[in-house]
Amino acid sequence: MKLIERLGKEWLFFDGGTGTILQERGLAAGELPETWNLTHPEEIVALHGGYLQAGCDIINTNTFGANALKYPDQLQAVVEAAVAHAKAARRQSGREDAYIALDIGPTGRLLQPLGDLPFEQAVELFGEVVRIGAAAGADLVLIETMSDSYELKAAVLAAKENCDLPVLATVIFDEKGKLLTGGTVDSTVALLEGLRVDALGVNCGLGPEQMLPIIQRLTEVSSLPVIVNPNAGLPRSENGRTVFDIDADSFADWMARIAEMGVQVLGGCCGTTPAHIRQMIARCRQKPFLPPVPKERSVVSSFSQTVEIGGRPIIIGERINPTGKSKFKAALRENNIEYILSEGMMQEDSGADVLDVNVGLPEIDEPQMMAQVVTRLQSVIALPLQIDTSNTAAMERGMRLYNGKPMINSVSGKRESMEAVFPLVRKYGGVVVGLTLDENGIPDTAEERVRIAEKIYRTAAAYGIDKKDVVIDALAMTISSDSRSAQVTLETLRRIRDELGGHTILGVSNISFGLPQREIINAHFFTMAMQNGLSCAIINPNAEGMMRAYRAFLALTGQDAQCSGYIAAYGSQNTPAAPLPADAVMPLGESIERGLRERAEQAARERLHSTPPLELVNTELIPALDRVGKGFEQGTVFLPQLLMSAEAAKAAFEVVKDAMRGVPQQQKGKMILATVKGDIHDIGKNIVKVLLENYGYQVLDLGKDVPPEVIVETALREDVPLVGLSALMTTTVVSMEQTIRLLREKKPDTKVVVGGAVLTQEYADSIGADCYARDAMATVHYADEIFA
């Protein structure tokens, strides 16, 4: 029976750890596990055989780190051998009913614009592995241990575009339920459901106990089968070996509890063995199976935030649109992206929930501009975006590069429109706006608009798009030309809500076109529309009259608990402070906090006319970075924003350095950063490097896969007092311990700070590290202590 016929209908069980077992069988510190597919085939077959005999249904190929970055010459041989060994184990064990998962892990690189790996290159890297593995006979694709939702999307697209196998995806959350780049359970589920994976879940990083709150939320929001593959507790080092603190009996106890939470697929990750899996299966198979329950949630998301449609009305900011805006048109023609970013930030500050993005001008390359604006916006603003265009090439480019589940504006009831747009929504995911017009134009009656809405729903369903992912635009037409138009629109809103149970959207300000004092009409119509069931309003959130109407409506209808939003806006002043215009000169500190590189450069140059360079650094640049760092630690600022702020600060520093040419410059200190031997994942190290350099440290970056001897020799030669070591994989943490041991022997006065997804405080202590840095800012703080 095919996996897809069983998934979500009965218990299915994955295997357990790979790298940790291979270490027990002789995998050396820093040795790449995938090479054993070629050098130790009997061990790989035995590994799979042990799990199959334990009773698991799905075994993962030994390809977690296999990609062209790590294996530029041997990739095909490594992947084909991995699948062949899994097939051999299945045959030898008599388990022909078991499935072989092509295991795909992260590249270890951060995608642009935060890192240096282009999105499409990431898609191709993953796609190459998928093509080889599918041709070799894998039964499904498992994308696992992803900590960046953007890389996750690249991997899913690669799988979908290069094979027709089921695609399952699991990510690695920290104890706060966040991905490395800030994603949450809700935003991750929205993304993966939009991309139409077949099951989703969590693996690695944590033990089953630590995963409980994450699993609870997964089962609350996911309509898909949920996978849970924890580590065998938390790691520690014993006699140079990485061990985990939960034995097979305890693991089975925890997994039995998890089985009762509404998950459908269970397995293990680092530290788990066939004994863990055998006892887990024995305990969990007895539990009543609970199939996934469809969640009727209309959700859009960014990399870190979700907005649910159907509760309070959602505000969609309309200002990123050239219609009637000469300055915005000029910004598009001049490729002034920072002006566009500022428009977005103003709307975010004013209370927008979603930002509409329309960059269409006849004289520009709209697909290229859409790609550029979407990519830059999502790196500095956490709000979800609405991709607004009639150009299907621009629409697809924006949807493909979007890090989340966007709104799509729009599709109409015309057949050619639905045939062009619905396949894109089906492929990339999104909540699409359905315009109540068709080949006959815009109907004059609510009855005809509702009929078109029904046609849009039916056609969407034929493409596999749920009604919850369609929001109907009842169309606000100006009352200056038809005095009945507002009443028709309001009736359409009511009937879509009451008769069809659907969600609605309006471009509210269209109602007043051609009239004087338009905001008077707009604000009152906005209130009437909300009373009649409006779900989403495309408005200018900087228009205080509109926001007054909105806040008052929420307070009066009980959607603003204790009137807290209303009081926050108006309790201490008559009106909220007006935001800075998008073309205003932004202060240096705010430019850095916002991550606006060009504006930070401009502000630094202007401030240098009146402020000495060192004073500017100490009174504005460093305090701005400190504020961003504090927000990151508190969870109000996410990694993309942290990195963009660091880049803006770096640009300002360069301006200051130019002004200080010939003046002796003082640095806080010099330190080494390296990803340890055997590990090519340098995301964490590169993030730390950017921040340390902005805080005035000279960083000797030795790169990735660095042997202990090289690190120690550099520390001796440069007389470095602090070394930072990074590792992502359990199999390479032993290299970290070897490096620390050699440093203690050769240069005992050097301190060592360690970090990485597989580390804990206890583990860091056990391998002799001086400091465990949970995140990048913790490394900066420790460096400040050492060099104080």
Side-chain angles (χ1 to χ4, degrees):
M1 185 181 294
K2 292 183 179 180
L3 174 70
I4 206 69
E5 297 172 0
R6 300 175 61 190
L7 190 61
K9 300 177 179 66
E10 61 179 278
W11 287 118
L12 290 172
F13 298 99
F14 268 103
D15 61 10
T18 296
T20 47
I21 290 184
L22 294 184
Q23 283 181 315
E24 293 291 329
R25 297 184 178 185
L27 181 73
E31 188 178 3
L32 301 178
E34 297 83 16
T35 61
W36 275 37
N37 294 330
L38 305 178
T39 61
H40 296 75
E42 70 288 346
E43 294 288 357
I44 303 303
V45 173
L47 170 74
H48 295 318
Y51 283 122
L52 289 169
Q53 290 167 16
C56 74
D57 303 294
I58 305 170
I59 53 174
N60 298 327
T61 57
N62 181 32
T63 53
F64 175 81
N67 58 63
L69 296 176
K70 190 184 289 188
Y71 297 96
D73 302 317
Q74 292 183 299
L75 181 63
Q76 183 165 347
V78 165
V79 175
E80 287 180 344
V83 177
H85 299 331
K87 284 182 171 180
R90 182 170 64 180
R91 184 174 60 253
Q92 292 173 17
S93 64
R95 287 292 313 281
E96 294 297 335
D97 60 331
Y99 305 98
I100 296 171
L102 179 65
D103 192 317
I104 294 180
T107 63
R109 301 263 294 276
L110 203 58
L111 273 60
Q112 291 178 349
L114 307 179
D116 61 354
L117 183 63
F119 181 84
E120 294 297 350
Q121 185 181 345
V123 173
E124 176 51 32
L125 285 168
F126 292 124
E128 186 177 7
V129 179
V130 171
R131 289 192 295 272
I132 298 169
D139 301 305
L140 67 142
V141 176
L142 173 66
I143 300 162
E144 66 161 323
T145 323
M146 287 289 176
S147 60
D148 174 12
S149 59
Y150 208 28
E151 185 176 29
L152 174 64
K153 179 172 183 175
V156 172
L157 287 178
K160 292 281 190 177
E161 292 173 351
N162 288 280
C163 74
D164 58 1
L165 302 176
V167 178
L168 285 60
T170 59
V171 299
I172 179 170
F173 290 110
D174 62 21
E175 290 188 9
K176 297 179 181 178
K178 295 289 181 66
L179 300 181
L180 173 68
T181 48
T184 65
V185 171
D186 287 46
S187 65
T188 303
V189 169
L191 170 69
L192 290 174
E193 288 190 345
L195 292 171
R196 288 172 170 76
V197 301
D198 297 291
L200 55 83
V202 60
N203 80 290
C204 202
L206 302 171
E209 179 180 6
Q210 293 79 23
M211 282 187 179
L212 292 179
I214 297 167
I215 297 165
Q216 182 64 43
R217 188 59 185 166
L218 275 169
T219 58
E220 289 171 353
V221 299
S222 175
S223 299
L224 296 175
V226 172
I227 306 165
V228 179
N229 293 336
N231 290 346
L234 300 177
R236 65 179 187 276
S237 179
E238 285 185 2
N239 301 319
R241 294 169 53 248
T242 300
V243 299
F244 289 78
D245 64 2
I246 294 183
D247 62 19
D249 285 336
S250 298
F251 186 79
D253 288 341
W254 281 110
M255 297 305 284
R257 178 175 173 183
I258 289 170
E260 297 172 346
M261 297 175 68
V263 305
Q264 289 78 36
V265 187
L266 297 167
C269 201
C270 299
T272 57
T273 67
H276 288 79
I277 300 304
R278 181 180 295 107
Q279 296 205 42
M280 175 193 73
I281 293 173
R283 292 288 308 278
C284 295
R285 218 184 266 285
Q286 304 171 11
K287 300 291 182 181
F289 179 79
L290 302 175
V293 177
K295 313 298 191 302
E296 296 303 322
R297 302 173 72 239
S298 297
V299 173
V300 293
S301 69
S302 67
F303 71 92
S304 65
Q305 292 188 13
T306 57
V307 172
E308 184 170 357
I309 300 166
R312 66 170 177 82
I314 299 304
I315 301 296
I316 302 174
E318 67 180 5
R319 297 293 299 170
I320 303 179
N321 189 317
T323 304
K325 305 179 185 72
S326 58
K327 289 182 179 179
F328 194 91
K329 290 179 180 178
L332 290 174
R333 295 187 186 103
E334 297 163 8
N335 200 37
N336 184 357
I337 302 300
E338 292 220 347
Y339 178 90
I340 299 171
L341 299 185
S342 296
E343 283 284 6
M345 290 173 179
M346 286 167 51
Q347 295 178 96
E348 182 179 36
D349 291 345
S350 297
D353 300 299
V354 177
L355 297 182
D356 184 78
V357 180
N358 185 315
V359 294
L361 282 182
E363 62 267 38
I364 69 170
D365 183 343
E366 187 179 352
Q368 187 277 333
M369 180 60 72
M370 181 66 79
Q372 189 175 4
V373 171
V374 165
T375 302
R376 289 290 303 277
L377 270 171
Q378 67 188 6
S379 68
V380 297
I381 293 175
L383 297 182
L385 304 182
Q386 174 171 270
I387 296 169
D388 183 0
T389 179
S390 58
N391 182 323
T392 52
M395 183 180 289
E396 178 165 21
R397 195 72 186 130
M399 294 174 74
R400 186 174 181 86
L401 293 176
Y402 182 65
N403 189 1
K405 181 184 177 185
M407 290 194 76
I408 308 300
N409 194 3
S410 55
V411 68
S412 73
K414 296 179 180 179
R415 187 178 69 177
E416 63 179 1
S417 174
M418 292 187 286
E419 289 176 348
V421 174
F422 282 147
L424 299 181
V425 179
R426 169 73 187 177
K427 178 176 182 178
Y428 297 107
V431 172
V432 64
V433 174
L435 306 179
T436 50
L437 62 88
D438 60 12
E439 287 82 0
N440 297 316
I442 300 174
D444 293 329
T445 67
E447 182 176 0
E448 283 298 302
R449 294 185 192 184
V450 170
R451 182 189 58 78
I452 294 173
E454 291 174 323
K455 179 171 70 171
I456 291 172
Y457 284 141
R458 286 195 306 273
T459 310
Y463 283 90
I465 300 167
D466 292 336
K467 183 178 179 180
K468 66 182 181 181
D469 286 330
V470 180
V471 176
I472 298 298
D473 191 336
L475 298 178
M477 309 301 294
T478 180
I479 58 173
S480 64
S481 59
D482 181 356
S483 59
R484 293 183 57 257
S485 63
Q487 292 303 309
V488 171
T489 299
L490 295 174
E491 183 184 348
T492 305
L493 291 176
R494 282 195 306 276
R495 293 184 63 175
I496 289 170
R497 178 192 63 188
D498 298 340
E499 297 175 14
L500 305 185
H503 300 308
T504 53
I505 187 170
L506 285 179
V508 175
S509 60
N510 293 339
I511 201 72
S512 64
F513 188 77
L515 294 174
Q517 299 291 318
R518 295 181 62 190
E519 191 168 297
I520 298 173
I521 295 292
N522 293 344
H524 284 79
F525 177 67
F526 184 23
T527 300
M528 296 170 72
M530 288 187 287
Q531 288 174 323
N532 283 274
L534 180 65
S535 308
C536 307
I538 305 175
I539 67 169
N540 177 7
N542 304 327
E544 185 50 33
M546 299 296 282
M547 295 308 291
R548 285 197 193 104
Y550 178 67
R551 295 184 181 111
F553 177 82
L554 295 184
L556 291 166
T557 55
Q559 298 181 76
D560 180 9
Q562 288 79 49
C563 301
S564 57
Y566 184 87
I567 293 170
Y570 305 114
S572 60
Q573 54 187 21
N574 291 329
T575 58
L580 285 172
D583 55 351
V585 176
M586 188 176 290
L588 176 57
E590 185 176 353
S591 299
I592 291 171
E593 291 181 64
R594 295 289 200 172
L596 298 178
R597 181 185 178 93
E598 289 85 354
R599 295 215 174 189
E601 289 179 343
Q602 177 188 358
R605 288 193 183 93
E606 293 182 359
R607 292 285 283 113
L608 283 170
H609 293 312
S610 58
T611 307
L614 285 178
E615 181 181 337
L616 190 64
V617 170
N618 292 326
T619 62
E620 294 207 40
L621 270 70
I622 295 299
L625 280 173
D626 285 340
R627 290 191 293 272
V628 174
K630 187 171 294 184
F632 178 70
E633 292 171 336
Q634 294 172 345
T636 58
V637 172
F638 302 105
L639 182 62
Q641 296 147 310
L642 178 71
L643 290 178
M644 298 308 292
S645 295
E647 287 299 317
K650 185 176 180 180
F653 272 122
E654 290 301 318
V655 173
V656 173
K657 286 180 183 178
D658 287 342
M660 296 176 63
R661 290 192 184 278
V663 178
Q665 297 181 33
Q666 183 178 2
Q667 287 186 320
K668 288 183 178 181
K670 179 167 58 177
M671 66 176 291
I672 288 171
L673 288 181
T675 300
V676 297
K677 182 180 178 181
D679 205 319
I680 67 162
H681 300 86
D682 59 357
I683 291 177
K685 173 184 66 65
N686 291 341
I687 293 166
V688 172
K689 178 185 177 182
V690 169
L691 293 181
L692 284 167
E693 288 179 339
N694 276 299
Y695 275 87
Y697 292 100
Q698 180 184 355
V699 176
L700 304 178
D701 183 0
L702 302 186
K704 56 196 176 188
D705 191 19
V706 185
E709 297 78 13
V710 172
I711 297 170
V712 174
E713 288 168 7
T714 307
L716 286 166
R717 184 177 64 251
E718 300 290 338
D719 191 25
V720 172
L722 180 60
V723 170
L725 302 177
S726 174
L728 179 71
M729 300 185 298
T730 306
T731 53
T732 59
V733 178
V734 287
S735 296
M736 186 179 282
E737 184 174 8
Q738 290 176 356
T739 303
I740 294 172
R741 191 181 305 122
L742 192 58
L743 274 169
R744 296 290 181 253
E745 177 186 337
K746 302 289 187 181
K747 199 174 186 302
D749 60 325
T750 292
K751 301 292 186 182
V752 181
V753 55
V754 298
V758 296
L759 291 174
T760 62
Q761 182 67 61
E762 182 182 2
Y763 198 111
D765 293 341
S766 69
I767 62 176
D770 297 291
C771 175
Y772 163 59
R774 183 179 295 274
D775 54 43
M777 284 307 302
T779 305
V780 173
H781 295 326
Y782 185 66
D784 286 342
E785 292 178 18
I786 297 300
F787 291 99

